Amino acid sequence: QVQLVESGGGSVQAGGSLRLACVLKGRLYSPPSLGWWRQGPGREREGIASIDVEGGVEYADSVKGRFTISKDNSGNTLWLQMVNLKPEDSGMYYCGADPFTRLRGRAWLLGGPGQYAYWGQGTQVNVSS
């Protein structure tokens, strides 16, 4: 059974930093595309940062220059380093893994995991002004 477990969320003041982690537990038979998605209060889920299966990295325009996505060599741990956080960054952050998607690059970030993908339970980020 495959599970994604996020951690690292919390409450910070504007300008602060957080580092989110997502650990993939279990075995996938093909390498997945990975990424972070965010859902704020009253807002739709949006792609924040992603690494597709070919290593292509994409960021939402709202977080470019402030967030950095990375993963370890095994691909089992995904991180999201967030600096200079703003109140509008508040929300539930989810990591997703999709070993079946054919989406790459920006399309992967915007399209997100498909119906057979895996999601974590989410970690809450609250940024106060």
Side-chain angles (χ1 to χ4, degrees), residues 74-91:
S74 69
N76 289 333
T77 303
L78 183 72
W79 291 282
L80 185 67
Q81 178 68 51
M82 308 185 291
V83 301
N84 191 21
L85 283 161
K86 303 177 180 180
E88 52 263 42
D89 293 320
S90 297

Side-chain angles (χ1 to χ4, degrees), residues 10-18 66 82-90 125-129:
S11 297
V12 297
Q13 290 187 327
S17 301
L18 286 172
R66 299 188 297 121
M82 308 185 291
V83 301
N84 191 21
L85 283 161
K86 303 177 180 180
E88 52 263 42
D89 293 320
S90 297
V125 171
N126 295 314
V127 185
S128 58
S129 57

Side-chain angles (χ1 to χ4, degrees), residues 3-129:
Q3 287 184 307
L4 298 177
V5 181
E6 300 109 330
S7 62
S11 297
V12 297
Q13 290 187 327
S17 301
L18 286 172
R19 190 188 195 206
L20 306 184
C22 173
V23 177
L24 191 157
K25 299 182 177 181
R27 180 179 178 181
L28 292 174
Y29 290 96
S30 56
S33 290
L34 300 164
W36 291 94
W37 283 262
R38 174 176 75 195
Q39 187 161 20
R43 295 163 61 181
E44 294 186 357
R45 187 187 69 190
E46 58 176 332
I48 296 301
S50 62
I51 302 176
D52 67 31
V53 68
E54 296 175 357
V57 175
E58 293 285 342
Y59 295 97
D61 290 342
S62 60
V63 306
K64 280 181 181 177
R66 299 188 297 121
F67 290 13
T68 303
I69 188 172
S70 61
K71 65 179 182 177
D72 66 357
N73 288 336
S74 69
N76 289 333
T77 303
L78 183 72
W79 291 282
L80 185 67
Q81 178 68 51
M82 308 185 291
V83 301
N84 191 21
L85 283 161
K86 303 177 180 180
E88 52 263 42
D89 293 320
S90 297
M92 187 70 80
Y93 284 68
Y94 300 90
C95 69
D98 193 340
F100 307 108
T101 185
R102 296 184 178 184
L103 299 177
R104 300 291 183 263
R106 198 77 179 168
W108 163 236
L109 177 69
L110 298 178
Q115 64 182 68
Y116 300 110
Y118 301 92
W119 289 98
Q121 81 287 352
T123 186
Q124 182 70 38
V125 171
N126 295 314
V127 185
S128 58
S129 57

